[in-house]
């Protein structure tokens, strides 16, 4: 089948337009919220990374983490938040008290929470806001259609030039 210049142009333009539409759909970002809690027995100094506290492998895609700490014991507990071995925030939580803290713009590998107390129990509740791209495969398809559409557009220009040269 021979492609006329008009059908070649229509095919190229339709592929390019569909690639634009698919790239917008593929860049759709979904937000998943995961909540949980963990009880920690503290007897001395304890170090926890965010992955250890949440037990959630998708913590690496987290946009924001909210923590609520409840000291269920009588003894006060010192809670220190560190990033790159630098203390970013510290608090002493008295027995029976609650404290909330939120991480945003986090680098998960570097954030550590340090608990220090003598024989107490802390309940840590967390809420993770995880971003995901559920239609990322459409972005790849859009890229493929963009390449094919560009090739067809180049063929259209080459066909028009060759027809002009024949005249």
């Amino acid at each position: 089948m021979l492609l006329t210049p008009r059908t070649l142009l229509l095919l190229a333009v339709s592929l390019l337009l569909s690639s634009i539409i698919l790239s917008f759909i593929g860049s759709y970002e979904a937000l998943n919220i995961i909540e949980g809690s963990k009880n920690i027995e503290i007897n001395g100094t304890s170090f926890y990374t965010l992955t250890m506290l949440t037990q959630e492998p998708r913590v690496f895609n987290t946009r924001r983490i909210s923590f609520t700490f409840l000291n269920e014991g009588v003894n006060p507990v010192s809670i220190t938040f560190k990033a790159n071995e630098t203390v970013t925030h510290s608090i002493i939580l008295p027995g029976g008290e609650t404290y909330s803290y939120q991480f945003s713009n986090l680098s998960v590998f570097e954030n550590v929470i340090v608990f220090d107390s003598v024989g107490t129990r802390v309940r840590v509740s967390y809420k993770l806001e995880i971003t995901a791209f559920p239609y990322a495969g459409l972005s790849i398809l859009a890229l493929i259609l963009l390449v094919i559409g560009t090739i067809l557009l180049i063929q259209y220009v080459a066909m028009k030039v060759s027809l002009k040269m024949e005249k």
Side-chain angles (χ1 to χ4, degrees):
M1 169 183 130
L2 278 174
L3 289 176
T4 63
R6 173 174 260 160
T7 56
L8 194 59
L9 179 64
L10 285 173
L11 186 61
V13 169
S14 66
L15 284 176
L16 291 173
L17 287 176
S18 62
S19 74
I20 291 170
I21 293 168
L22 286 176
S23 68
F24 279 120
I25 294 171
S27 64
Y28 168 73
E29 181 180 77
L31 184 65
N32 299 326
I33 295 177
I34 298 171
E35 295 184 25
S37 63
K38 181 175 186 169
N39 291 325
I40 301 172
E41 295 288 335
I42 301 169
N43 201 3
T45 304
S46 305
F47 296 88
Y48 287 90
T49 63
L50 298 182
T51 310
M52 290 166 59
L53 270 179
T54 61
Q55 298 296 315
E56 176 63 45
R58 295 181 294 175
V59 74
F60 300 106
N61 299 332
T62 303
R63 176 185 290 170
R64 184 181 6 234
I65 301 178
S66 301
F67 284 107
T68 302
F69 303 96
L70 170 63
N71 186 350
E72 294 179 341
V74 208
N75 298 326
V77 61
S78 169
I79 304 173
T80 307
F81 302 92
K82 289 185 175 185
N84 287 336
E85 295 299 320
T86 304
V87 175
T88 58
H89 187 70
S90 183
I91 186 169
I92 295 177
L93 187 62
E97 296 289 320
T98 303
Y99 180 72
S100 296
Y101 189 75
Q102 185 175 52
F103 282 107
S104 57
N105 298 332
L106 30 112
S107 172
V108 175
F109 296 109
E110 301 158 354
N111 288 314
V112 175
I113 301 174
V114 182
F115 297 95
D116 192 8
S117 183
V118 180
T120 192
R121 183 173 153 165
V122 175
R123 181 170 183 80
V124 180
S125 300
Y126 58 88
K127 179 180 171 185
L128 298 154
E129 293 181 11
I130 297 175
T131 56
F133 294 98
Y135 305 112
L138 292 178
S139 293
I140 296 169
L141 180 62
L143 183 63
I144 292 169
L145 290 178
L146 180 69
V147 169
I148 294 171
T150 305
I151 291 170
L152 290 176
L153 201 55
I154 291 169
Q155 285 181 341
Y156 166 76
V157 171
M159 186 182 284
K160 284 301 257 187
V161 169
S162 68
L163 286 176
K164 289 223 183 219
M165 294 293 251
E166 287 179 5
K167 288 184 181 179

